[in-house]
Amino acid sequence: MGSSAGALSVSECLSDALICSTRSHMALCLRFCVAVLAYGLCRANAQSEELHNFIPERLYKKAQYVMARLVPETRAHMSDEYESDLHTDASDLTGRVEESAVALWRNTQIRSLKKQPQYQLSFSEWLSSELHVQRSRDALTDLERQEYEQWACEQYYLHMSEHDGGCEGDVTRICARIITAVLDRHTASRTGGSSHEHTDGCLPDLLSLLQAVLYEVAVTRLNTSEETGHFFWDVIDSRCSVTPDPDSIGHELSYQQTLDDISRVLVLVPPVMLLTVRTDRAGRRTLDCQRMMKHISHVQRRACLPAGLLSFQLTAHFFKAVVSGSVSCDRPVEAVNACLSLFNTECPLLPLSAARWWTRLSAALSSQWKRLTGRDTLPEQLQMLEDSHSWSRRVGAGCAWPVPSAPSWLLAACLHGSLRRSDCETENVRRLARQLHETDRQVLLFWFVSSVTELISAHLNQQAAGCLERVRDVSVCLLTHLVDDSDWLLLFDQSGSDHRLSHFLSRVTSQQTLRLMPFAFYSILRGVASEVLTGAIRSPGFLYSAAVSYRELSRLFLNAQPSGGLQQQVLLEARRVLMSSISLSSPDCLTLSQRRQLQSEYEQLDSEISAALGSFRNAPFT
């Protein structure tokens, strides 16, 4: 059950050595525990002393676990379903091991030790032991193991008092402790556990049990308080509240894995539990998605998401939650529309992810909506996703198609996803970029945003050189058509401005992605044609953005992010671009405060750049 930091006694060492991960280990542990308890009972009776003087605490806990698991007849006695014997005949302890185990748990003295806190095997300790068992080498068959685990959770620990290590009859405590144990086990397996403990353990059985118990919570929730079910988000939030050391790569990677583990648990939860149905002032039942949005926003800030988006499984589960929850509202269509509209404005990462996975997601959601409501027509917000996706496929194929009424960032995400899946040629990208340059600059700008975040993700995931080149070529092509408008620079603005684009980025990109924006800035600029670069330099605010980006890029280089020889190549090229930009910029391109700020920062970083910036000293300032 874990060892203390100090020196261990002989009994503690023996207890820790008695592992219960395979049938042979369990058989040995059972025999040893029966012998220890029988010996202790005989010694206590012979010397008229208290039993706890002869039975070590850890071995008693081990006995509770292994005897109930391997000898089903002991379970009723451990649950106090039968009367106890005041005395146990010594002959009862000399037969078969299983018979001796039953005789021991019939004894009042043996059972009375469970009332002492130090001898109690708590539910959390039981879960930890069960998660160490190898399923392929278990002493129990699959059906026997499921029966045992159901007994332990629903008949033993559920009704046991919290003082005795149980859950006080509260099903939500059972769920919370299973979730906590599962996440703790994932962490332990990453920090030193054997690989088989993670891949061949009893985790699937306990997750199935969790789903069954959560279903009971979900059904109960329909007929009780609106607050029922928040326990789940409370458990999840408590695991997410730990802030890793930003300077420690090890801590950061461990935290990323924790978020991945949480996502695996999330998709097992009944979708209706992820949202709350509330009654508004007018007495109508509506959806409350605040806790879900809070979690997604946390994941967005902290996680290293593939391609900057939520996984398909998580996206699908969240959308199922919205559709499932809506049927408990008075007006399901309005409930879905209101919920997804709120996501569009407050947490756009979810609809962005839906746009990415819509090909796989649409059929399942349409079917679910029809099954639950009997309606063929989708709610407006779901239909908007369908229309945006249809538009992107058709314009990507060169067909004329009316632009649907949808946010520019959603249309851009659908277009980017469609072209990415079709593996389009560069000429097709150029055609679409020219078309959008004439018809919808905002869609073109947000397409550039999608391409830049994909470029960063490709570097982080160390994708093949050909893939990196393709992604960068798309970004370079899009910049070529955006360079006459300085709005594209706002994508690399590190000043924390409240511009619409900065506001959007803060809601869809992780902190790690934002830190790598300077890398993307120069990675793209080094690929543009000289006349495009000259045009970019003339954009208002370019020199200041370039100087700030180079400063941040240098800091990334010092911290070895991103890794590899490419970083030094980009840094050298970035310095060349910056020096060229300074020489080609007009004297009034920087304000006095900007020039002084940059000169001060560059005095230690790069004296040559600082001197070049100082060449604007006699220029008029705006």
Side-chain angles (χ1 to χ4, degrees):
M1 302 298 171
S3 55
S4 61
L8 299 179
S9 65
V10 173
S11 65
E12 289 172 330
C13 289
L14 283 172
S15 177
D16 289 350
L18 288 171
I19 57 177
C20 292
S21 57
T22 67
R23 64 176 67 88
S24 58
H25 292 152
M26 292 178 201
L28 175 62
C29 184
L30 176 63
R31 289 179 177 278
F32 190 85
C33 287
V34 166
V36 170
L37 265 61
Y39 174 77
L41 183 62
C42 293
R43 282 283 304 274
N45 289 337
Q47 299 180 21
S48 300
E49 293 188 34
E50 295 291 336
L51 182 60
H52 65 78
N53 292 327
F54 301 98
I55 296 181
E57 300 159 9
R58 293 193 190 186
L59 283 170
Y60 184 82
K61 289 184 178 184
K62 191 78 71 172
Q64 291 178 69
Y65 175 73
V66 73
M67 289 184 185
R69 200 173 199 284
L70 300 187
V71 188
E73 293 82 1
T74 64
R75 298 171 193 172
H77 297 288
M78 292 178 67
S79 301
D80 295 324
E81 295 177 17
Y82 296 136
E83 292 184 3
S84 305
D85 293 334
L86 292 178
H87 301 286
T88 298
D89 194 303
S91 62
D92 294 335
L93 304 177
T94 58
R96 295 174 59 247
V97 173
E98 292 79 5
E99 295 170 350
S100 299
V102 174
L104 284 167
W105 286 110
R106 284 203 306 261
N107 183 270
T108 301
Q109 294 169 279
I110 291 291
R111 288 164 61 175
S112 66
L113 285 180
K114 287 197 305 163
K115 300 300 181 182
Q116 300 184 36
Q118 67 271 27
Y119 283 93
Q120 292 164 1
L121 179 70
S122 70
F123 183 51
S124 296
E125 291 173 316
W126 176 85
L127 285 167
S128 178
S129 296
E130 194 67 9
L131 283 168
H132 279 82
V133 175
Q134 293 183 55
R135 298 172 77 238
S136 62
R137 301 173 64 188
D138 191 1
L140 304 181
T141 65
D142 289 343
L143 289 177
E144 289 171 340
R145 182 171 54 253
Q146 291 170 13
E147 179 185 352
Y148 164 65
E149 290 171 349
Q150 284 183 331
W151 167 81
C153 288
E154 299 175 9
Q155 298 177 43
Y156 190 62
Y157 284 109
L158 174 59
H159 306 290
M160 186 184 292
S161 69
E162 186 172 14
H163 177 267
D164 293 333
C167 298
E168 294 279 1
D170 187 347
V171 178
T172 64
R173 293 189 188 183
I174 286 276
C175 298
R177 291 181 188 177
I178 293 177
I179 293 170
T180 299
V182 167
L183 295 177
D184 286 344
R185 187 68 193 134
H186 278 304
T187 301
S189 68
R190 293 195 306 270
T191 56
S194 301
S195 59
H196 67 71
E197 292 175 331
H198 180 64
T199 59
D200 188 31
C202 289
L203 178 62
D205 302 272
L206 290 176
L207 290 178
S208 296
L209 185 61
L210 172 65
Q211 286 182 298
V213 181
L214 280 171
Y215 176 77
E216 180 181 334
V217 177
V219 171
T220 305
R221 181 181 174 209
L222 297 176
N223 305 308
T224 56
S225 166
E226 294 176 344
E227 298 300 321
T228 306
H230 275 189
F231 81 93
F232 172 75
W233 286 118
D234 291 340
V235 173
I236 297 301
D237 289 347
S238 69
R239 305 296 294 220
C240 292
S241 62
V242 179
T243 303
D245 181 357
D247 297 325
S248 171
I249 295 178
H251 287 175
E252 187 72 27
L253 290 175
S254 177
Y255 189 71
Q256 301 295 337
Q257 190 61 56
T258 296
L259 292 178
D260 289 343
D261 295 339
I262 288 172
S263 295
R264 293 189 185 99
V265 172
L266 270 173
V267 298
L268 296 173
V269 175
V272 292
M273 289 197 61
L274 301 181
L275 296 173
T276 303
V277 178
R278 295 194 180 279
T279 304
D280 63 17
R281 294 181 178 179
R284 293 178 302 186
R285 288 173 296 176
T286 60
L287 286 178
D288 179 358
C289 55
Q290 292 297 325
R291 296 299 293 269
M292 184 195 291
M293 285 201 303
K294 178 183 176 183
H295 179 71
I296 294 174
S297 297
H298 181 88
V299 171
Q300 164 252 309
R301 289 191 303 271
R302 300 300 315 174
C304 180
L305 302 170
L309 300 172
L310 300 174
S311 68
F312 168 73
Q313 290 81 4
L314 209 54
T315 303
H317 207 61
F318 286 151
F319 267 81
K320 286 178 183 177
V322 174
V323 173
S324 299
S326 70
V327 298
S328 298
C329 300
D330 295 316
R331 300 176 181 177
V333 174
E334 291 183 11
V336 171
N337 287 333
C339 188
L340 294 182
S341 295
L342 188 61
F343 271 102
N344 285 343
T345 56
E346 299 297 326
C347 188
L349 182 62
L350 182 61
L352 267 182
S353 301
R356 167 67 176 85
W357 304 112
W358 192 250
T359 302
R360 297 169 59 185
L361 189 61
S362 58
L365 284 179
S366 298
S367 175
Q368 183 191 18
W369 175 254
K370 185 174 182 179
R371 289 195 313 271
L372 294 179
T373 66
R375 307 184 188 194
D376 291 316
T377 305
L378 291 173
E380 179 184 332
Q381 290 294 315
L382 289 178
Q383 188 61 49
M384 182 178 70
L385 277 163
E386 177 64 32
D387 293 343
S388 299
H389 186 261
S390 297
W391 169 81
S392 67
R393 283 191 295 110
R394 286 174 170 81
V395 299
C399 304
W401 200 260
V403 180
S405 177
S408 298
W409 52 263
L410 185 60
L411 293 171
C414 288
L415 182 60
H416 181 72
S418 293
L419 295 174
R420 188 172 179 269
R421 285 189 296 273
S422 64
D423 196 24
C424 62
E425 296 180 358
T426 305
E427 186 53 44
N428 199 22
V429 174
R430 291 196 185 100
R431 174 185 61 80
L432 286 169
R434 287 194 299 269
Q435 178 181 329
L436 290 172
H437 183 267
E438 299 296 330
T439 60
D440 199 324
R441 293 283 190 93
Q442 284 299 299
V443 174
L444 180 62
L445 177 62
F446 280 106
W447 184 9
F448 182 60
V449 172
S450 297
S451 184
V452 170
T453 54
E454 185 185 9
L455 177 63
I456 292 173
S457 178
H459 277 290
L460 287 174
N461 295 323
Q462 298 182 341
Q463 294 185 3
C467 178
L468 284 171
E469 197 66 26
R470 179 189 63 80
V471 174
R472 195 184 70 154
D473 286 348
V474 172
S475 299
V476 169
C477 177
L478 298 179
L479 179 58
T480 301
H481 292 84
L482 287 168
V483 76
D484 60 342
D485 189 337
S486 60
D487 278 357
W488 68 274
L489 282 170
L490 294 167
L491 177 59
F492 306 99
D493 181 11
Q494 302 283 320
S495 64
S497 66
D498 198 32
H499 186 272
R500 180 191 176 198
L501 187 57
S502 302
H503 192 65
F504 174 77
L505 279 174
S506 68
R507 282 164 169 72
V508 299
T509 54
S510 67
Q511 294 174 0
Q512 187 175 27
T513 299
L514 291 175
R515 286 198 300 268
L516 289 171
M517 279 297 180
F519 177 80
F521 179 83
Y522 279 108
S523 182
I524 295 169
L525 283 180
R526 61 191 283 264
V528 301
S530 57
E531 62 272 16
V532 176
L533 179 59
T534 302
I537 291 171
R538 295 195 183 104
S539 299
F542 176 83
L543 182 58
Y544 182 72
S545 294
V548 171
S549 292
Y550 181 80
R551 179 196 66 197
E552 296 303 317
L553 185 63
S554 299
R555 291 173 178 172
L556 285 173
F557 176 76
L558 293 174
N559 292 330
Q561 273 192 346
S563 59
L566 180 62
Q567 61 181 3
Q568 189 168 6
Q569 183 182 354
V570 171
L571 188 64
L572 291 173
E573 187 69 15
R575 189 179 188 281
R576 184 192 65 78
V577 170
L578 179 56
M579 291 296 289
S580 177
S581 302
I582 294 173
S583 65
L584 294 174
S585 297
S586 61
D588 60 349
C589 65
L590 295 175
T591 66
L592 177 60
S593 61
Q594 285 177 339
R595 180 172 63 78
R596 286 176 174 172
Q597 172 204 338
L598 292 173
Q599 272 193 283
S600 174
E601 291 172 346
Y602 272 93
E603 281 179 359
Q604 298 294 326
L605 182 64
D606 193 313
S607 58
E608 187 177 353
I609 293 178
S610 180
L613 291 169
S615 64
F616 295 145
R617 182 175 295 111
N618 298 321
F621 293 104
T622 56

